[in-house]
Amino acid sequence: MATGSDQAVGMGMVALSALIFAYYTIWTVVLPFVDDDHIVHQYFLPRPYAVITPTVAGVVALSAIGSFFGYVMLQDKMKKKAK
């Protein structure tokens, strides 16, 4: 069973994810239909960043996952070789 601090961290992560999802959805779906001179545009980056940001985040995440798997496989291979 999860402790109180685990639940608090989990709820914080879910809330942050929901906030990021809402921000990105408004940025990519709603904002193109709002006039360019409207005040709401000052809270969002220019539209090209809507594609660049998730692409860079995906490349970084996949690189980190691939590096981790490579490291684990190397460590496993070294342990088998030592035996």
Side-chain angles (χ1 to χ4, degrees):
M1 211 52 168
T3 64
S5 63
D6 290 340
Q7 290 178 346
V9 169
M11 286 296 276
M13 291 172 65
V14 168
L16 180 65
S17 297
L19 184 66
I20 291 171
F21 178 76
Y23 179 87
Y24 187 77
T25 301
I26 292 169
W27 185 21
T28 57
V29 176
V30 176
L31 212 58
F33 298 106
V34 177
D35 291 333
D36 287 335
D37 59 344
H38 197 276
I39 194 167
V40 77
H41 279 277
Q42 74 182 5
Y43 299 111
F44 296 92
L45 291 172
R47 285 189 199 120
Y49 289 107
V51 175
I52 294 170
T53 303
T55 302
V56 169
V59 168
V60 168
L62 289 175
S63 297
I65 291 168
S67 297
F68 175 74
F69 281 137
Y71 175 75
V72 169
M73 289 173 60
L74 275 172
Q75 292 297 327
D76 190 43
K77 187 176 183 180
M78 291 176 120
K79 283 182 183 179
K80 287 181 181 178
K81 195 178 209 182
K83 287 183 179 183

